[in-house]
Amino acid sequence: MGKIYGYCRTARAEGNDIREQIELVSNYCKAKGLDLVVCFCDDGVSAHNVDRIEMNKLFDVIRKGDTIIARDYSRFTRNPITLQIFIDDMKSRGVEIICIEENEDDSAPAIRAWFEQRWAK
């Protein structure tokens, strides 16, 4: 198994939610016996902004066999097309994505993201 990285993001730099996400990722890793290398966090950054400082740092270090753990897919983006491109890119790189609050057998997170985005409007 490769290295384990966390990723957290909030749209508002309030601090509480980002700390809760970090704790969620850390506790998940502890419970599963995984050695979390680092948790990259973009605090106060919209999901629509895909050029994020910490996410870019994550992409610089991620390698084949590594795993990214996040609360849910919306931490990466809320745009369903961008989400599917991200998922496909990670799969092609041999990187596993674990979203703690997502259904493990969910094979269509981008479609669900589209419905959620439409529902929010």
Side-chain angles (χ1 to χ4, degrees), residues 63-108:
R63 300 289 178 258
K64 183 177 182 174
D66 291 347
T67 301
I68 302 171
I69 300 176
R71 184 182 79 194
D72 56 50
Y73 285 107
S74 70
R75 300 307 88 202
F76 302 109
T77 181
R78 290 188 184 273
N79 180 299
I81 295 169
T82 306
L83 178 59
Q84 192 60 57
I85 291 168
F86 169 75
I87 291 168
D88 291 346
D89 181 46
M90 291 299 107
K91 282 183 183 179
S92 72
R93 291 170 146 200
V95 174
E96 181 180 5
I97 303 168
I98 296 174
C99 291
I100 299 165
E101 295 182 353
E102 300 285 345
N103 186 348
E104 286 187 33
D105 65 355
D106 186 355
S107 60

Side-chain angles (χ1 to χ4, degrees), residues 4 22 31 33-34 41 46 60 71 78 85 91 109:
I4 308 295
I22 294 166
L34 302 172
C41 301
S46 169
D60 286 344
R71 184 182 79 194
R78 290 188 184 273
I85 291 168
K91 282 183 183 179

Side-chain angles (χ1 to χ4, degrees), residues 14-27:
E14 297 171 356
N16 290 337
D17 189 45
I18 201 76
R19 285 191 293 273
E20 290 170 8
Q21 288 181 51
I22 294 166
E23 186 175 333
L24 179 71
V25 169
S26 295
N27 288 342

